[in-house]
């Protein structure tokens, strides 16, 4: 993938930013102090390729334009090769930033070959799962691991899965965390776990509900809550740095089209409901449902994803360095 020359800001329509508010939630900060050597045991980059966002019912125009509004966004044109290249770049960038901060990053094969990891069962990469993005949004995600890591594993809380598809991974996550603790105690080397979730559509959450419904646009972000760094120390303590605000890069990443099949019928129904409400015939709650198709521009999408994960790396590594 030729993204070495593309990663400049020239392809980006806007500048990267961290959303306002608390940037990172830190737990067990004291455990990080004195860390000089780590090995990466978990490094997963999740790509949302479908999301469904909903608003709560509202009154609208005299109760007529309420109902549940639903926006379904679908991403097309991102190949497995692109996602693997983005993941590999994010991992290499993370290692480079850690080492630039004076932290030695060891060979992950040493961890995976250790006796403490004998019962850890990695899954095939990519790993596809349906997740809760927040209280009003769900999504379908493919997680990739770097080529340099022997297996794809997760830690508790890395995903909030829906249905039976995620139950096995969630049960295995506890075993992975225990194995990381045993390895750290046995070797004196801390173990890092890092997970990112990349979103491709900027849905204004919680968003102002109106007769126009949810506002959706193309964008690139590392999502908060599910994007985090975990550090298991030789003392057996787990420190975590969780992104509380999205890391965002704006740019021309995809062509967005309204692919809703029955948009005209929905509009007509809402107009009829509004007229009926005005004349005292009650408030019909039709709401709106929209489907948006995002066809990516491969070079721009790759550049944006590499850039936004690098910015997320910087955000977390800087915080980790400050705690050391």
């Amino acid at each position: 993938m030729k993204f070495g020359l593309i990663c400049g800001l020239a392809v980006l329509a806007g500048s990267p930013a961290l959303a306002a508010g608390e940037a990172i939630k830190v737990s067990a900060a004291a455990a990080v102090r004195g860390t000089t050597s780590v090995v990466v045991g978990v490094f997963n980059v999740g790509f949302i390729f479908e999301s469904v966002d909903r608003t709560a019912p509202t009154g609208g125009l005299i109760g007529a334009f309420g109902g549940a509004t639903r926006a379904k966004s679908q991403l097309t044109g991102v190949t497995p090769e692109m996602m693997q290249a983005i993941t590999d770049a994010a991992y290499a960038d993370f290692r480079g930033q850690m080492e630039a901060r004076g932290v030695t990053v060891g060979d992950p094969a040493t961890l995976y070959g250790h006796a403490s990891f004998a019962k850890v069962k990695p899954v095939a990469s990519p790993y596809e799962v349906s997740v809760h993005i927040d209280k009003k949004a769900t999504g379908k995600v493919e997680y990739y691991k770097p080529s340099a890591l022997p297996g794809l594993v997760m830690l508790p809380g890395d995903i909030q899965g829906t249905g039976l598809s995620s139950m096995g991974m969630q049960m295995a996550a506890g075993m992975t965390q225990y194995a990381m603790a045993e390895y750290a105690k046995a070797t004196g080397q801390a173990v890092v776990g890092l997970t990112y979730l990349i979103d491709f559509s900027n849905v204004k959450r919680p968003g102002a509900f109106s007769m126009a419904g949810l506002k959706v646009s193309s964008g690139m972000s590392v999502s908060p809550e599910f994007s985090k760094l975990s550090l298991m120390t030789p003392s057996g303590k787990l420190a975590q740095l969780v992104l509380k605000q999205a890391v965002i890069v704006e740019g021309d990443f995809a062509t967005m089209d309204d692919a809703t099949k029955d948009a005209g019928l929905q509009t007509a129904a809402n107009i009829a409901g509004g007229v009926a409400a005005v004349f005292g015939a009650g408030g019909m709650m039709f709401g709106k449902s929209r489907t948006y198709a995002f066809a990516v521009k491969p070079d721009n999408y790759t550049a944006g994803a590499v850039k936004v994960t690098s910015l997320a790396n910087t955000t977390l590594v800087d915080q980790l360095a400050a705690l050391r």
Side-chain angles (χ1 to χ4, degrees):
M1 181 62 61
K2 301 185 299 179
F3 54 79
L5 297 177
I6 304 169
C7 288
L9 291 178
V11 301
L12 304 179
S15 59
L18 191 72
E22 181 189 15
I24 301 173
K25 179 181 178 180
V26 180
S27 60
V32 179
R33 198 167 296 131
T35 300
T36 58
S37 176
V38 303
V39 61
V40 179
V42 179
F43 195 103
N44 299 317
V45 179
F47 298 84
I48 299 176
F49 61 90
E50 180 179 295
S51 62
V52 177
D53 294 82
R54 296 177 176 84
T55 63
T58 64
L61 177 61
I62 319 179
F65 286 83
T69 291
R70 175 181 181 273
K72 182 177 182 179
S73 303
Q74 296 174 312
L75 185 68
T76 62
V78 181
T79 66
E81 292 77 16
M82 289 168 60
M83 290 183 278
Q84 187 63 63
I86 292 164
T87 303
D88 288 341
Y91 176 68
D93 179 80
F94 176 75
R95 286 180 61 100
Q97 291 201 39
M98 289 286 282
E99 290 171 348
R101 289 287 194 166
V103 179
T104 301
V105 183
D107 184 354
T110 304
L111 169 67
Y112 278 78
H114 195 269
S116 61
F117 252 57
K119 294 185 179 180
V120 173
K121 304 297 182 184
V123 297
S125 175
Y127 172 70
E128 184 177 323
V129 64
S130 296
V131 300
H132 288 288
I133 300 172
D134 59 32
K135 290 182 179 180
K136 296 179 181 178
T138 57
K140 293 183 179 180
V141 181
E142 284 190 356
Y143 282 94
Y144 281 73
K145 71 169 186 66
S147 302
L149 257 63
L152 192 158
V153 294
M154 290 186 174
L155 295 174
D158 281 359
I159 60 172
Q160 185 66 41
T162 64
L164 298 176
S165 62
S166 68
M167 289 185 62
M169 176 61 81
Q170 293 183 40
M171 292 175 64
M175 176 61 71
T176 300
Q177 182 170 302
Y178 175 78
M180 285 172 49
E182 291 300 295
Y183 174 87
K185 291 176 184 177
T187 65
Q189 186 177 44
V191 185
V192 168
L194 195 146
T195 297
Y196 287 141
L197 184 61
I198 297 179
D199 200 353
F200 65 90
S201 63
N202 288 337
V203 180
K204 306 304 182 185
R205 301 185 180 118
F209 182 84
S210 67
M211 284 180 281
L214 285 161
K215 300 180 184 299
V216 184
S217 64
S218 175
M220 183 79 67
S221 65
V222 171
S223 300
E225 304 298 343
F226 296 111
S227 299
K228 63 182 181 179
L229 185 152
S230 302
L231 181 74
M232 182 63 72
T233 68
S235 66
K237 293 183 178 179
L238 180 68
Q240 287 193 323
L241 284 64
V242 181
L243 289 178
K244 300 299 291 182
Q245 298 292 327
V247 179
I248 301 168
V249 171
E250 296 180 347
D252 185 19
F253 306 122
T255 300
M256 175 183 161
D257 292 311
D258 188 337
T260 310
K261 294 181 179 180
D262 59 349
L265 291 175
Q266 292 180 40
T267 300
N270 278 323
I271 291 173
V275 172
V278 169
F279 287 98
M284 291 180 284
M285 305 283 284
F286 291 104
K288 288 188 177 182
S289 178
R290 292 288 185 267
T291 298
Y292 298 99
F294 293 84
V296 303
K297 299 180 178 180
D299 287 346
N300 290 11
Y301 178 90
T302 299
V306 170
K307 183 66 178 180
V308 80
T309 51
S310 179
L311 288 168
N313 284 340
T314 300
T315 302
L316 293 172
V317 171
D318 282 354
Q319 180 66 71
L320 193 68
L323 297 174
R324 290 177 56 229

